[in-house]
Amino acid sequence: FLSQTEHCSAELAVVRDALGSHGYQSSKVLKAAGARCLTDFALVELHGGFLEARLQAWRTEVGGENAGQFVDLVRLLLLHRMLPITRVRQILGHDCVETLLRLQLLVPTDGKGRLFTDLADADPD
């Protein structure tokens, strides 16, 4: 059996590895979004439109699926945009998504602010 600390460390390692596999680091986020500092993301209602437009421009400049996945991660995690859970699973993998859901860092909704009571309703695969 794992201690609570070991269990938390293992869960965080899953998330860290999934994000790291996409180069999800503050320096890359700042460059892609054209942000001065990460604080710009705290004011997402004020700067969100600019940041999202810059991310889309960066996605076009860099091209490829990796850029698309990175931009979607920034949109989800920092701009608080909704993505289909199938897309999030495609990017982060099943284990990472299940960890984030269990920790309630991601919450499936139907796009209208209502929570699903059963994750199967959110992902009809």
Side-chain angles (χ1 to χ4, degrees):
F1 294 102
L2 294 176
S3 71
Q4 185 172 358
T5 302
E6 291 170 325
H7 181 71
C8 287
S9 293
E11 285 186 320
L12 291 176
V14 168
V15 174
R16 182 183 58 241
D17 291 347
L19 292 174
S21 71
H22 294 285
Y24 192 83
Q25 297 173 347
S26 59
S27 59
K28 187 174 178 181
V29 168
L30 293 173
K31 180 179 180 183
R36 297 176 311 239
C37 61
L38 291 175
T39 305
D40 288 347
F41 290 94
L43 306 170
V44 75
E45 288 185 23
L46 182 62
H47 299 291
F50 166 78
L51 295 170
E52 188 150 15
R54 180 59 192 120
L55 283 167
Q56 295 305 329
W58 181 85
R59 172 189 243 163
T60 302
E61 290 168 21
V62 173
E65 180 62 16
N66 291 340
Q69 290 178 350
F70 179 81
V71 167
D72 281 348
L73 284 175
V74 175
R75 291 180 63 240
L76 175 71
L77 300 172
L78 293 175
L79 296 177
H80 311 288
R81 303 300 194 248
M82 287 191 280
L83 292 175
I85 197 159
T86 51
R87 176 65 173 159
V88 179
R89 277 200 180 109
Q90 177 188 24
I91 296 169
L92 294 175
H94 180 79
D95 291 343
C96 181
V97 170
E98 290 303 311
T99 297
L100 293 171
L101 289 167
R102 187 173 41 260
L103 296 173
Q104 296 182 350
L105 297 170
L106 288 180
V107 179
T109 69
D110 64 357
K112 297 178 183 172
R114 294 185 298 243
L115 300 179
F116 286 117
T117 56
D118 183 348
L119 185 57
D121 294 340
D123 192 4
D125 287 341

